[in-house]
Amino acid sequence: MKKSVLAVAIAAAAFAASAASAAQVYDKDGTTLAVGGQIEFMAGNAGNKYFGNSAQDATTRDRARLTMAGRTQLTSNIAAYAYNEWQADHSGSSKEDATLKARQQFLGVDFGTFGKVQMGRYKDPFVFASSAVDVLDEVGVYGCNDERNSGHLSYMWKGFGFDAGVSYQFAEDEYKTDTDGSFDVDSGFSVYAGYTSPAVVFGPISVRAAYLYLNGQDKHDAAGAGDVDDLKTVDGSLAWGTNGKGLYVATNYAYAKTTYIDSEKEQKVKAWETVATYGFECGVRLGASYQFVKFEKTAPATDDVEGDMKFVQLIADYNVTPNFKIWAEGLIDAGSDVGYGKIVSDTDVNNAKDGHNSIMFGARYVF
């Protein structure tokens, strides 16, 4: 679950979040354009491979993001919008030609109280459920298929405390997941729903649920990207409070099942994460999370295999200003089974190599 400045929001809210922090450079005849981004520097123990350099125990990572968000009022109640985000990343290497990624690219039509339709590259809106616990800063362990992918067409609505939506997935090669790496998708869909109450004692209570189905392409290829028959993921969460403002607690449970083409082989992943943060008025926030992930693999020709990953994540960060933030975080293995990666950033947890406990320090400027 890779944390970011937009980690606590679903992809559908990315436009609004960017526009709030970016500089508006154009405003004429109902059309606005905002340009923003961030510069980030991190240093820490690279044994977790998060920095992309396995040859050193300590190294750095710097990256930059540039965003553009446009919006045009079509009628008094309907607006078209578009959002683009690029990322340049140096991870454990001083090469000048940094990797440039198209992180998010989408457009849509906002119908106001009747919801919005959005299409393009972003996190499937089913992550609305898991975003309740995705509130810490950088390194994540397991995101339950919350990667950014292309080919989404989504309808999202919110009002009276409720959130709901449905999304269709078009055919895409190399679709990224947390449970099975990348594989070729023929089609898919997701649904999500949730309710957030008014404040109760120290904050609102939120209940969320989501379901994602992906149908793999019926083929085998040399890279092994076409051997998934289907992937089903169920996700649910419960949260209380507002992250960054006093006490916030949240818990999330996810279950994913993968079946494979032309075999009885299957994999089940069960993940549970609980997080708690406390935000002080001075801008300091302290947080901790515990994550438990169980893998169960079955195949007729081999013995069944299962194993657990267990982690504790600790965070301390300080919003010096709304634009500048510093933080420290640590990841501690809490008894993961042998053969299951301890602290890694590899999207495919099945191929993860053992790492060790990690600490990171970072600074981020958002403009």
Side-chain angles (χ1 to χ4, degrees):
M1 195 178 294
K2 298 176 177 61
K3 277 58 178 176
S4 73
V5 70
L6 301 178
V8 298
I10 61 173
F15 170 83
S18 171
S21 60
Q24 186 168 291
V25 297
Y26 181 85
D27 185 355
K28 184 178 180 181
D29 298 330
T31 295
T32 60
L33 176 64
V35 177
Q38 68 179 53
I39 306 294
E40 190 172 72
F41 176 82
M42 292 160 281
N45 183 333
N48 62 8
K49 300 185 184 296
Y50 181 78
F51 293 93
N53 187 340
S54 58
Q56 298 173 204
D57 283 337
T59 187
T60 64
R61 177 175 185 170
D62 59 84
R63 64 186 177 193
R65 293 174 183 165
L66 178 64
T67 65
M68 297 178 64
R71 186 178 181 92
T72 297
Q73 207 67 35
L74 303 179
T75 70
S76 58
N77 298 313
I78 302 175
Y81 63 90
Y83 180 85
N84 196 16
E85 181 179 25
W86 297 278
Q87 175 174 301
D89 201 340
H90 291 96
S91 299
S93 172
S94 189
K95 293 191 302 182
E96 183 176 356
D97 54 334
T99 302
L100 185 64
K101 300 178 180 179
R103 197 164 184 263
Q104 296 187 96
Q105 295 175 329
F106 59 83
L107 56 86
V109 179
D110 187 346
F111 297 95
T113 58
F114 296 100
K116 62 177 67 175
V117 175
Q118 183 171 293
M119 61 208 77
R121 178 180 181 82
Y122 48 93
K123 289 186 177 183
D124 191 294
F126 108 106
V127 302
F128 176 72
S130 63
S131 65
V133 294
D134 194 3
V135 296
L136 302 185
D137 274 295
E138 271 302 326
V139 179
V141 182
Y142 175 77
C144 195
N145 305 319
D146 67 349
E147 298 291 334
R148 292 170 181 83
N149 284 286
S150 301
H152 297 307
L153 173 61
S154 310
Y155 171 75
M156 296 159 283
W157 174 87
K158 66 184 306 178
F160 312 103
F162 292 93
D163 289 84
V166 60
S167 189
Y168 178 77
Q169 175 63 50
F170 291 93
E172 293 287 342
D173 290 348
E174 297 296 317
Y175 187 100
K176 292 175 64 177
T177 69
D178 295 284
T179 52
D180 290 279
S182 298
F183 66 91
D184 298 343
V185 170
D186 179 70
S187 61
F189 72 92
S190 69
V191 293
Y192 74 90
Y195 174 73
T196 301
S197 75
V200 178
V201 188
F202 59 83
I205 296 176
S206 178
V207 181
R208 307 178 181 187
Y211 175 79
L212 171 69
Y213 173 81
L214 296 172
N215 180 33
Q217 293 185 19
D218 246 357
K219 67 175 186 178
H220 297 272
D221 67 23
D227 59 351
V228 172
D229 186 22
D230 62 45
L231 170 61
K232 304 170 184 176
T233 306
V234 178
D235 208 340
S237 64
L238 177 65
W240 191 3
T242 300
N243 179 49
K245 297 181 179 179
L247 180 63
Y248 176 80
V249 292
T251 189
N252 173 247
Y253 176 79
Y255 170 83
K257 179 180 178 180
T258 308
T259 56
Y260 299 87
I261 297 172
D262 300 333
S263 76
E264 297 177 23
K265 177 183 174 183
E266 66 179 27
Q267 176 179 250
K268 299 176 182 178
V269 181
K270 304 171 184 177
W272 171 58
E273 181 176 2
T274 295
V275 63
T277 67
Y278 192 90
F280 298 88
E281 291 186 4
C282 63
V284 172
R285 185 187 63 148
L286 303 177
S289 73
Y290 173 78
Q291 191 167 95
F292 173 86
V293 186
K294 173 178 282 294
F295 299 90
E296 300 175 356
K297 304 175 185 178
T298 61
T302 61
D303 295 333
D304 294 348
V305 178
E306 64 178 62
D308 301 337
M309 295 197 309
K310 305 170 186 176
F311 303 92
V312 172
Q313 184 174 7
L314 304 175
I315 287 286
D317 55 30
Y318 175 40
N319 286 293
V320 184
T321 72
N323 298 90
F324 183 57
K325 178 180 185 178
I326 57 176
W327 76 88
E329 70 177 281
L331 278 171
I332 304 168
D333 183 77
S336 300
D337 290 339
V338 175
Y340 287 80
K342 289 188 176 181
I343 311 294
V344 295
S345 66
D346 194 333
T347 300
D348 184 359
V349 292
N350 299 314
N351 296 327
K353 297 180 180 179
D354 282 344
H356 49 76
N357 298 336
S358 177
I359 188 169
M360 177 195 295
F361 301 92
R364 177 186 300 131
Y365 184 86
V366 180
F367 58 90

